Amino acid sequence: MPNTATESRTGETSPGAVPQRRWWSGWPDWSGYLAVVWSALYGAASLYWALGGDGYPFERIHEDRSSGSILEPSRAEAVAPVLALFCALGVVAGVLMLKNLGTGRIRKALLAYGWVAGTALTLLIPDYSLLGLLAFSPALIVFVFTGVPGPQDLGDIMYWHRGNLMIVFVGGLLWVAATLAYQRRTNGQCVYCGRAPHAPGRWTDTVRLRTWGRRAVWLAVLSTLPYDITRIAWYFGWPLGITDEFLKEMQDTPNMLEIGLALGVVSTLGSLLMHGLIARWGEVWPRWVWWKKGRTIHPATAVVPAGFVAVVLIPGGLMAVRGFELTSWGETGPAILWAVWGVALGAATYLYYLRRRGVCRMCAQG
């Protein structure tokens, strides 16, 4: 009979067994193909816009349908050809990566393209849209069935300029994954866990990992406080960081202050949840989760949502930098620290992952 994978409670695969993987654990294999497909499709769309086609997503448009991207507003004849060339290079680079080709300077050029593409598409071009949709996701789910209150509909929330940025964001994630897999393969590392054969990891001391993780979490918590404090202050009538006129305008706008207060509360709750990355209840389900009490928490349960939040916070913070005005610092000033929050949360999440990853199912190291 063929071997089947048998695992212990720690996740270690028995010798000679064939590891069983879920589809998402195969990201080093399929992310490269999807990155090439994304580049080909978005490149074709960019060429269409460059030739005068409709729907260019960074053109000047009515404020209610615009975005805060660094590429907006811009002219299709100026930017679309650059996007098309950028994507064409991505197709070539992606194919070379999939074939594990490239040594020396060529390898460095492929890695440079991949990391620049991933960073630009994920962090620099998008705005705060993903963060806003994440914060309001419970309400949006309700709105699908009930409709949006007031003279609006879902089209006023999910319009093309904003939807395009989500497509760009997904492309960035694919390029980050594809480039990381290529870098590990060409370095002789395990593409699934990043460990090098017969080489001790640089981050193996759990005490050291927890110490640095605690510092990253506290930095993330501190970066949330200015936003929380200003929004709560506005709700109680104190114009902290804004003019009296702007506060009066918000008071006269139905539910505006309540929404700000809700966002401040959500941010505070996020600060509390981040402590799970360094606390015991982030590793074993606590008593207040009675249906799983005492069971070990799978690392992905914390790593996936925390990592996603960390990534979407950074574009929102960078957008706030572009819109900052000293005379009304309370509007966008605290949001600048979202970038710090995202970096710190990302670091804390990575350290949590290193501390809890255990034995790799594919290379049996750990």
Side-chain angles (χ1 to χ4, degrees):
M1 293 179 62
N3 290 331
T4 58
T6 56
E7 292 184 41
S8 67
R9 293 178 66 87
T10 61
E12 185 175 357
T13 305
S14 60
V18 178
Q20 294 178 339
R21 294 184 297 155
R22 296 179 176 88
W23 68 267
W24 58 80
S25 64
W27 65 266
D29 302 318
W30 50 256
S31 60
Y33 290 99
L34 292 182
V36 171
V37 171
W38 183 94
S39 296
L41 293 177
Y42 204 85
S46 299
L47 182 60
Y48 170 74
W49 298 325
L51 296 175
D54 295 331
Y56 176 63
F58 300 109
E59 64 183 346
R60 185 179 295 278
I61 200 168
H62 190 276
E63 185 177 355
D64 292 340
R65 289 291 188 273
S66 64
S67 75
S69 172
I70 60 173
L71 295 182
E72 188 175 336
S74 62
R75 301 193 314 275
E77 60 269 22
V79 174
V82 177
L83 292 176
L85 177 60
F86 175 79
C87 290
L89 292 174
V91 172
V92 175
V95 170
L96 292 176
M97 287 182 179
L98 286 171
K99 294 180 177 296
N100 293 326
L101 299 177
T103 58
R105 292 182 178 178
I106 296 178
R107 176 180 176 274
K108 291 180 180 178
L110 292 176
L111 289 175
Y113 176 88
W115 288 121
V116 169
T119 301
L121 296 173
T122 307
L123 303 179
L124 300 181
I125 296 178
D127 62 1
Y128 72 104
S129 294
L130 272 169
L131 180 60
L133 292 174
L134 180 65
F136 286 104
S137 55
L140 292 176
I141 294 175
V142 174
F143 293 162
V144 169
F145 300 97
T146 65
V148 181
Q152 301 183 88
D153 55 35
L154 285 177
D156 295 315
I157 298 174
M158 288 298 300
Y159 42 83
W160 170 230
H161 280 224
R162 178 170 282 173
N164 168 71
L165 294 184
M166 296 179 189
I167 296 173
V168 169
F169 179 82
V170 170
L173 293 181
L174 291 174
W175 269 109
V176 168
T179 306
L180 180 60
Y182 172 74
Q183 179 173 297
R184 287 177 174 179
R185 283 194 297 264
T186 53
N187 275 343
Q189 299 171 276
C190 173
V191 293
Y192 300 96
C193 70
R195 296 183 177 99
H198 313 299
R202 295 165 59 185
W203 293 85
T204 56
D205 183 2
T206 57
V207 175
R208 182 184 184 188
L209 292 172
R210 192 180 295 275
T211 298
W212 281 100
R214 187 176 295 109
R215 293 171 180 172
V217 166
W218 280 110
L219 176 59
V221 170
L222 291 174
S223 67
T224 70
L225 293 180
Y227 186 87
D228 303 346
I229 292 171
T230 53
R231 271 55 186 175
I232 293 172
W234 298 349
Y235 180 79
F236 289 103
W238 183 23
L240 180 61
I242 57 175
T243 62
D244 293 333
E245 292 76 14
F246 184 60
L247 178 61
K248 182 64 168 58
E249 181 181 339
M250 287 195 292
Q251 291 172 336
D252 294 338
T253 304
N255 300 321
M256 179 65 74
L257 290 176
E258 287 76 9
I259 291 175
L261 177 64
L263 291 175
V265 171
V266 169
S267 176
T268 301
L269 291 176
S271 299
L272 296 176
L273 286 176
M274 285 189 294
H275 284 84
L277 298 173
I278 54 174
R280 175 66 175 169
W281 60 266
E283 300 177 15
V284 178
W285 290 105
R287 289 176 295 178
W288 38 274
V289 187
W290 66 90
W291 62 95
K292 288 190 175 183
K293 180 179 65 175
R295 296 173 61 182
T296 300
I297 297 176
H298 193 285
T301 303
V303 169
V304 173
F308 181 75
V309 172
V311 173
V312 301
L313 279 166
I314 296 175
L318 297 178
M319 175 184 167
V321 172
R322 299 192 296 271
F324 178 74
E325 293 182 5
L326 185 60
T327 55
S328 55
W329 62 265
E331 291 185 56
T332 56
I336 292 175
L337 295 177
W338 288 344
V340 179
W341 183 3
V343 172
L345 177 58
T349 304
Y350 181 61
L351 294 168
Y352 172 89
Y353 161 75
L354 290 179
R355 197 175 76 247
R356 301 213 48 223
R357 61 181 171 173
V359 176
C360 176
R361 296 181 180 186
M362 300 306 297
C363 69
Q365 295 186 85

